[in-house]
Amino acid sequence: MIRYQNIFDSGDLGWICLASVVSLMAYLAGVFLILGSQLHDSRVGGFWRMLPQLTALLTVAWGLCVYSLCFGPSLGTIPEVDPNPRPMLSLQEMMAIEDATPDETHLYGRGGYIGNPDYFLMARVIPVPATGQPLFSARRPNYHLPHVLECCLRWSSFLIVVLPLSMVWSNWYGGFRLGLLCLLWSIFVYAPVAHAVAGDGWLEKYGSVDFSIGLPLLAASCSAVLGLSALKTRFTRSASDRHMAVGILLLWLGISLHVSVYTFHADARSIAVLLNMLMGSAVGFLAWSFCNVFLWKRPFTYGTAFGMLAAVAAVAPSAGTILPQSAFVLGCGTAVIANIFYHMLSCDDGTHPGKQLLSTLGISSAMGLLGVGVFATTSMGGTRWDGREIAGVIEGNWSLLQFQVIAVACVSGWSLVASWLLFQLIRPSSNVVNPPGEATSP
């Protein structure tokens, strides 16, 4: 028997709609102020000219197929309609049969590797009342949200991940090739990764937890570094300290606000998530700066842009499942590890930006996902759809850490393999590689 309901709360609707747009604008503005000013001038101009077309292409692809592949019910998990109708029964007999049938709606659409085409061309996304069918929202526990609003929220997360990655790729790809690469990456890398947990796919059913966009960020950082190891680019310092500072603050506040929306409620828990993001990432950013001085004898402000990127990525995957005290520890420890990797890869010696993202964003998102398995607590994370409590090692549950390790390994492996195949299919053009210049760290 299927039981479901939609209760639209105006406070939740307004909070999610406003925060989705504002956080996307702040985050992208910060990223482009930081990274865009560090790339060679001839490439930045070309990327900025193509940015509107690239954003439009990704938006169209999102509505056509990517959203359905990410958040549609998993293939093979929706029971087919019985072609042989039951014989005519009395109303009393029908009610008795319905009451005796267990409610298995929560099992539909779970556990697969990719979504189905139910939402192609935005079909079944706009609410249609009185259809008699279970029009699942993208995330079934959130029946209080209209499906179309959650589609917009996921779209903003999609752009937050893909557009900065496309900016890195613009060093080697341009025009049609860049758009085609981003489109194929969205279908073959982003869609299965997002579906694995956020779309109630096989990792979510297995037991892995990703509160926000940790797994997509990990996939993007792995994809940014592959296929281009033979090419090197150097940064030129073209931004003022004022622009850099504003970009860092916008990135910090934008992604913190965006992650807080993933509670899907305008309540105290969303404020707690925002507090975890602000406090945890701030501690991590300061830890990065102190490592520059005491470990590497560098200026306190060395690599501040990538330091903030590492700090926010460390707390984002776990912000809704850990307490503020744990966010302090996780942010600080992850920033130290990311800082060590950043310097070990000699990012100021001609290394391309993909390796910079891997040594900061990739390491931090992976550590944040593993941090869920250690610091998750039921008082913050609650219980899962199947009744299992979200609890980590500190509460005596070692299985969640095991699930997180499997999720990190599988997503990293798939991103590397799929991206390598895409790079073999779409070769970079030699005429878009940046000429060498003086290296300067942001």
Side-chain angles (χ1 to χ4, degrees), residues 148-398:
V148 65
L149 176 59
E150 190 153 7
C151 178
C152 294
L153 171 62
R154 303 293 185 177
W155 168 79
S156 65
S157 301
F158 172 63
L159 292 184
I160 282 176
V161 174
V162 180
L163 285 182
L165 178 63
S166 67
M167 191 171 202
V168 174
W169 282 342
S170 66
N171 285 280
W172 301 276
Y173 294 87
F176 174 78
R177 291 192 179 193
L178 179 61
L180 180 61
L181 180 62
C182 293
L183 177 62
L184 294 178
W185 187 87
S186 302
I187 295 174
F188 293 104
V189 179
Y190 183 89
V193 169
H195 184 77
V197 172
D200 295 334
W202 70 281
L203 283 177
E204 194 272 346
K205 187 175 182 179
Y206 182 67
S208 300
V209 175
D210 179 14
F211 176 73
S212 56
I213 54 176
L215 288 175
L217 289 177
L218 177 61
S221 62
C222 293
S223 299
V225 73
L226 266 190
L228 308 172
S229 57
L231 301 176
K232 293 185 178 181
T233 185
R234 296 177 185 270
F235 287 139
T236 56
R237 186 63 174 270
S238 60
S240 65
D241 292 335
R242 177 179 58 187
H243 292 162
M244 180 63 66
V246 172
I248 291 172
L249 291 175
L250 286 175
L251 183 149
W252 176 33
L253 298 177
I255 197 170
S256 297
L257 180 62
H258 185 80
V259 171
S260 67
V261 179
Y262 274 86
T263 61
F264 301 99
H265 289 277
D267 57 8
R269 185 166 179 250
S270 64
I271 303 303
V273 173
L274 180 61
L275 181 65
N276 282 347
M277 286 298 302
L278 294 176
M279 297 298 177
S281 57
V283 171
F285 182 55
L286 290 178
W288 174 284
S289 301
F290 281 111
C291 286
N292 290 336
V293 177
F294 295 105
L295 293 182
W296 310 104
K297 309 303 179 184
R298 300 278 187 154
F300 189 74
T301 57
Y302 178 82
T304 51
F306 290 101
M308 179 54 73
L309 192 64
V312 296
V315 189
S318 58
T321 58
I322 64 176
L323 297 175
Q325 300 88 332
S326 301
F328 274 74
V329 177
L330 181 60
C332 180
T334 302
V336 172
I337 296 174
N339 183 272
I340 294 174
F341 274 90
Y342 179 84
H343 287 84
M344 287 177 60
L345 288 180
S346 301
C347 292
D348 60 339
D349 189 23
T351 305
H352 62 68
K355 290 184 179 180
Q356 292 181 318
L357 289 182
L358 179 65
S359 61
T360 54
L361 184 64
I363 295 297
S364 298
S365 56
M367 294 296 297
L369 289 165
L370 296 179
V372 176
V374 177
F375 298 107
T377 176
T378 306
S379 61
M380 187 69 176
T383 58
R384 292 162 39 86
W385 59 274
D386 55 2
R388 286 183 287 177
E389 295 182 347
I390 299 178
V393 174
I394 60 173
E395 292 193 354
N397 180 26
W398 287 84

